[in-house]
Amino acid sequence: MKITMPNGDIKEHAQGINGLEIAKSISERLAREAVGIIVNGNRQDLSTPINTDATIKILTFDDEEGKDVFWHSSAHLMAAAIEKLYPGTKFGIGPSIENGFYYDIELPDEQKLGLEELPKIEAKMKELSEEKSDYNRIELSWDEAVEHFKKIGDNYKLELLEGLQGDEISFYKQGDFVDLCRGTHLPNTSMIKYFKLTSVAGAYWRGDSSRNMMTRVYGISFPKKKMLEDYLKMLEEAEKRDHKKLGKELELFMITPAIGAGLPVWLPKGAFIRRKLENFIKEELLKRGYVEVITPHIGNLDLYRTSGHYPYYSDSQYDPIKVEDEEYLLKPMNCPHHHQIYLSKPHSYRDLPLRLAEFGTVYRYEQSGELSGLSRVRGFTQDDAHIYCTQGQLKDEIKSTVELTQLVFKTFGMPVTTRLSFRDEEEGKYAGDMEKWELAQKVLKEVADEINLDYTIALGEASFYGPKIDFIVRDAIGRKWQLGTVQVDYVMPERFGLEYIGADNQKHTPVIIHRAPFGSLERFMSILIEHYAGNFPFWISPVQVSILPISDKQFEYAQKVYSRLTERGFRATIDLRSEKVNRKIAESEQQKIPFALILGQKEEDEGTVSVREHLKGNIGTHLLEELMERFDELNKVVVKE
RNA sequence: GCUGAUGUAGCUCAGAUGGUAGAGCACUUCCUUGGUAAGGAAGAGGUCACCGGUUCAAUCCCGGUCAUCAGCUCCA
């Protein structure tokens, strides 16, 4: 029979040959590293016989799917170790994930599993790995499978089986450990040599917060020692970029329980960067015909009854404030206020689009366990705007907002993914009629296609009043966060009774686009800090130059250099302490200041400055005037294509 | 909100079977005037997160609360 290789080569093999044998026929090394095989598009074990002509691809750890197999088998190995150490443990699910694997478990007799237990489990895994047990696939009927789990009393697996009723059920067994599993698995446990259990956390059974909380043990494994070492090193490096850590070190922001959990305070340097960001986007808005408005931080509760946000989001809003006979809500969003501005006078189609922009601070009562640095907070400022337009203007306006959002990410060189967040079928989750939803989703998708957006579609991620385009970035440790967003809304114009007079002299309802390129300035800042690891580009650095005289003989010259820089608008500090220049340089570098000017007798005599660039080191002696010309260039925002 | 971990000087962290604590850096003063990542000395600095309990005695043991971190659920 004919076996077609990924490169197109066709080889003749005897019927019934398996993946491992094919790998061997290619090279010993491939046979050693193979983890699974794709046969005519289906992934299967290397031990499964192949009986017909087939196109194949042998998987190794280097393939995404290979990693999946490797980590999934690792999860089984970990489960086996836990089973040995804690007999009677019940097992939930144990999949591979983006970086490694986990298994959800429930220890018997209310036992708890803490971090101290992980080394024990690792040791047992090592032992089991060295036993070199084969992963054997076993197929059972559904009834037999149920029988098995009833016997060992694993109600979680029984529940999983309910969803598989009628199917042929496959199990995998390595050593004494048997687990319900679709596969694919490695040939044997000895391939899993280098691993680390990274954390333990609670996880609701089937992701449902009304159900039992199981213990989730996370781990990662590799076929080569160096890979594990590199991975652990990478984690360490990522920790150094943590915005919470850098925020403290660079004095950008603080969060103190004395003010309140999740209520960040911007320190002078952080506030400086934030204003730079705001001014950057403000300029772009003015170019695009937006007008700025300012609205208060609270609003009459009736506004949110009209919009539907209250009580839809009552769980995540602060309690209303009573003022005389009325109730006010700390605003969880800016839209209703902007709608009132729209309503304050009649509109002609000639006025549209009306684009109202505001850096609006909103307050949301996030669950305590959700709070995290600047990424998830209870008070934050959106670079918000609402565009009121006609149906005919909608597409162009969406395009323009998407383009603006993309400009933000390009400017800072941040990798971003784009998601069309559409509705699902869940009852009661969405407002407005289906027709409008379909129209809104259609328009978004058309626009996305017309501008060749590289997107994914996520059902159920829409907001309750409309679908959106979300821009998603990752933080230093790989978590995904939504930053920019563009939303189409047919619901609020109706609820608030927004109108305009068309060319036909009839009343019409406008469409609203809600959009925020940064999303929230707090969250954007968290990502910005981690993206640059605190080494901000010159134009947003709170301090751009430090002036470091070598001895007090140069203090006067240093003051002169300082004045010339600050008079030209550069942000400089001067270090007049009686410290050695090495010390001054070290501190300037730690503060991640883009440039340090070292001034000694030689520079003073020549009227020059010795320049040290952050992360690059000494870049030689320059005339101050020349240097400032370079600084002028660096001060310009450059969009990286 | 839930699970696990953590909370000691401004920062980073030690610490003792229960007898009210230490280092480095930062800070203040003095000495030092030094050429591309930390010169030296002295001083000052703590309700050991908070509240209760056990105890002759609690920072340490127990219970609760708050906060922080990771994960789960949620996220206009």
Side-chain angles (χ1 to χ4, degrees):
Chain A
M1 73 185 176
K2 291 185 171 59
I3 299 294
T4 310
M5 302 292 157
N7 64 3
D9 286 358
I10 297 175
K11 293 208 173 132
E12 191 65 34
H13 282 290
Q15 217 173 25
I17 192 170
N18 69 28
L20 193 60
E21 288 157 354
I22 297 175
K24 262 186 199 145
S25 75
I26 297 166
S27 82
E28 270 304 316
R29 184 175 166 182
L30 184 62
R32 232 177 17 246
E33 295 184 353
V35 299
I37 183 169
I38 296 176
V39 179
N40 293 331
N42 300 316
R43 200 167 80 193
Q44 60 187 48
D45 297 328
L46 287 165
S47 56
T48 307
I50 298 164
N51 293 315
T52 57
D53 288 353
T55 300
I56 63 140
K57 175 174 165 56
I58 291 170
L59 297 171
T60 69
F61 188 81
D62 296 333
D63 303 296
E64 280 310 304
E65 285 202 67
K67 285 189 176 67
D68 179 59
V69 171
F70 196 89
W71 285 333
H72 190 180
S73 293
S74 302
H76 276 229
L77 180 66
M78 178 175 78
I82 292 171
E83 161 108 291
K84 282 256 191 256
L85 292 168
Y86 308 92
T89 297
K90 292 174 186 176
F91 293 90
I93 55 164
S96 73
I97 49 176
E98 199 177 342
N99 283 303
F101 57 89
Y102 68 77
Y103 219 120
D104 285 346
I105 62 167
E106 185 181 288
L107 293 187
D109 316 320
E110 316 255 311
Q111 282 189 75
K112 284 188 176 163
L113 191 71
L115 284 170
E116 315 83 69
E117 275 75 41
L118 296 185
K120 275 187 261 173
I121 301 172
E122 285 173 354
K124 182 57 84 177
M125 283 172 74
K126 190 159 193 333
E127 210 179 299
L128 294 176
S129 161
E130 282 164 2
E131 283 177 14
K132 201 175 178 182
S133 312
D134 289 345
Y135 285 87
N136 290 314
R137 187 182 174 92
I138 303 167
E139 293 188 354
L140 292 179
S141 71
W142 188 80
D143 292 325
E144 288 168 320
V146 169
E147 191 60 31
H148 169 77
F149 285 117
K150 273 196 179 147
K151 206 167 72 194
I152 62 171
D154 194 328
N155 44 316
Y156 296 107
K157 293 291 183 189
L158 283 168
E159 192 177 326
L160 291 177
L161 278 172
E162 274 171 38
L164 300 168
Q165 222 146 3
D167 298 355
E168 178 93 336
I169 307 299
S170 64
F171 283 76
Y172 277 80
K173 179 171 192 282
Q174 91 269 10
D176 304 330
F177 182 76
V178 185
D179 198 2
L180 172 69
C181 184
R182 194 182 302 132
T184 311
H185 279 288
L186 296 174
N188 67 68
T189 56
S190 73
M191 294 177 77
I192 306 165
K193 279 201 178 70
Y194 307 101
F195 48 82
K196 174 136 190 81
L197 302 187
T198 46
S199 71
V200 30
Y204 297 110
W205 170 236
R206 309 207 111 179
D208 183 342
S209 58
S210 67
R211 308 210 43 188
N212 238 6
M213 180 157 269
M214 305 185 74
T215 304
R216 178 170 295 179
V217 188
Y218 285 90
I220 192 156
S221 58
F222 296 94
K224 293 191 177 125
K225 192 174 180 188
K226 177 138 196 325
M227 289 175 165
L228 178 62
E229 287 169 353
D230 287 351
Y231 178 78
L232 295 176
K233 188 163 275 174
M234 193 268 291
L235 279 188
E236 250 172 63
E237 288 302 312
E239 260 169 52
K240 288 185 197 152
R241 302 172 87 97
D242 182 349
H243 79 274
K244 300 182 284 297
K245 187 176 153 67
L246 286 169
K248 191 180 272 180
E249 286 171 6
L250 302 179
E251 298 183 342
L252 301 172
F253 68 92
M254 60 179 246
I255 297 175
T256 165
I259 291 173
L263 299 172
V265 172
W266 296 71
L267 300 173
K269 286 177 184 163
F272 183 89
I273 296 174
R274 170 167 159 176
R275 291 297 185 219
K276 273 282 167 191
L277 298 176
E278 288 178 357
N279 291 338
F280 162 72
I281 201 77
K282 213 181 260 190
E283 262 180 52
E284 295 300 326
L285 293 181
L286 292 178
K287 283 185 211 164
R288 289 168 174 76
Y290 287 76
V291 288
E292 222 185 332
V293 296
I294 298 171
T295 67
H297 286 222
I298 63 173
N300 195 302
L301 187 55
D302 283 337
L303 274 179
Y304 302 97
R305 291 205 176 96
T306 304
S307 71
H309 289 97
Y310 185 89
Y312 188 93
Y313 287 108
S314 60
D315 285 352
S316 49
Q317 284 164 0
Y318 285 96
D319 284 340
I321 306 159
K322 283 222 165 64
V323 181
E324 297 182 351
D325 288 337
E326 292 179 312
E327 289 184 298
Y328 286 80
L329 204 58
L330 203 46
K331 74 176 171 186
M333 54 193 347
N334 306 299
C335 0
H337 287 70
H338 291 182
H339 302 340
Q340 294 306 311
I341 295 172
Y342 185 90
L343 281 168
S344 66
K345 66 174 192 181
H347 291 276
S348 151
Y349 71 98
R350 295 175 195 277
D351 305 336
L352 304 184
L354 176 65
R355 308 180 187 89
L356 301 182
E358 175 177 20
F359 294 105
T361 304
V362 297
Y363 297 89
R364 298 175 185 175
Y365 184 80
E366 303 286 359
Q367 301 181 83
S368 57
E370 251 326 315
L371 301 176
S372 176
L374 287 183
S375 326
R376 191 75 183 266
V377 292
R378 286 182 173 155
F380 59 94
T381 302
Q382 299 173 312
D383 59 327
D384 209 358
H386 296 91
I387 301 171
Y388 303 82
C389 66
T390 68
Q391 181 62 36
Q393 295 164 334
L394 183 59
K395 274 194 173 181
D396 280 346
E397 289 302 313
I398 297 172
K399 279 180 198 168
S400 163
T401 56
V402 169
E403 172 267 327
L404 174 61
T405 310
Q406 289 177 317
L407 175 74
V408 167
F409 295 109
K410 269 191 223 154
T411 300
F412 297 99
M414 285 183 193
V416 63
T417 56
T418 309
R419 177 180 79 187
L420 303 195
S421 299
F422 287 177
R423 63 174 289 163
D424 53 22
E425 298 304 316
E426 204 177 313
E427 285 288 316
K429 197 171 158 190
Y430 307 99
D433 53 67
M434 203 57 194
E435 242 171 82
K436 292 279 169 57
W437 270 91
E438 273 166 14
L439 176 61
Q441 295 186 172
K442 183 168 153 273
V443 170
L444 276 186
K445 190 161 182 317
E446 281 173 10
V447 169
D449 290 332
E450 280 166 31
I451 59 177
N452 288 320
L453 213 54
D454 183 13
Y455 62 83
T456 56
I457 293 180
L459 301 180
E461 294 292 333
S463 69
F464 80 94
Y465 51 75
K468 46 186 186 151
I469 303 179
D470 290 322
F471 296 83
I472 294 160
V473 297
R474 286 170 177 262
D475 67 13
I477 59 172
R479 292 178 297 197
K480 292 177 182 172
W481 297 95
Q482 180 201 309
L483 291 182
T485 183
V486 174
Q487 314 176 354
V488 177
D489 176 9
Y490 286 102
V491 172
M492 294 302 155
E494 276 184 7
R495 292 200 166 179
F496 281 90
L498 307 187
E499 291 173 342
Y500 67 90
I501 307 297
D504 56 2
N505 200 28
Q506 297 294 307
K507 286 179 178 173
H508 297 271
T509 306
V511 192
I512 300 173
I513 299 169
H514 306 242
R515 39 103 289 163
F518 287 129
S520 103
L521 284 152
E522 283 74 8
R523 183 176 287 178
F524 190 85
M525 185 70 172
S526 76
I527 298 293
L528 193 73
I529 294 168
E530 300 190 358
H531 174 65
Y532 287 121
N535 304 307
F536 297 109
F538 190 81
W539 70 281
I540 53 171
S541 285
V543 178
Q544 297 171 308
V545 202
S546 58
I547 297 159
L548 314 179
I550 286 174
S551 82
D552 55 14
K553 296 189 191 74
Q554 287 86 42
F555 280 7
E556 209 174 307
Y557 180 57
Q559 299 273 20
K560 223 182 278 172
V561 170
Y562 174 81
S563 303
R564 283 182 66 195
L565 282 162
T566 51
E567 276 160 23
R568 278 272 284 264
F570 298 113
R571 305 181 286 278
T573 57
I574 182 163
D575 189 342
L576 298 178
R577 294 175 306 165
S578 69
E579 289 292 347
K580 290 191 165 186
V581 73
N582 274 2
R583 156 64 70 94
K584 296 182 183 182
I585 288 166
E587 290 180 12
S588 178
E589 292 284 352
Q590 268 160 15
Q591 286 301 304
K592 302 178 186 289
I593 297 168
F595 291 93
L597 307 186
I598 289 127
L599 307 181
Q601 196 57 52
K602 188 164 139 285
E603 286 75 18
E604 181 169 3
D605 294 344
E606 293 170 349
T608 57
V609 293
S610 175
V611 186
R612 195 186 153 95
E613 191 170 350
H614 177 51
L615 300 176
K616 284 196 184 144
N618 190 349
I619 57 166
T621 303
H622 297 265
L623 288 171
L624 186 57
E625 190 55 37
E626 280 171 17
L627 188 66
M628 289 196 294
E629 276 165 30
R630 177 160 175 220
F631 286 174
D632 280 332
E633 284 307 304
L634 289 171
N635 251 346
K636 291 178 188 155
V637 185
V638 182
V639 180
K640 290 181 198 144
E641 285 303 331

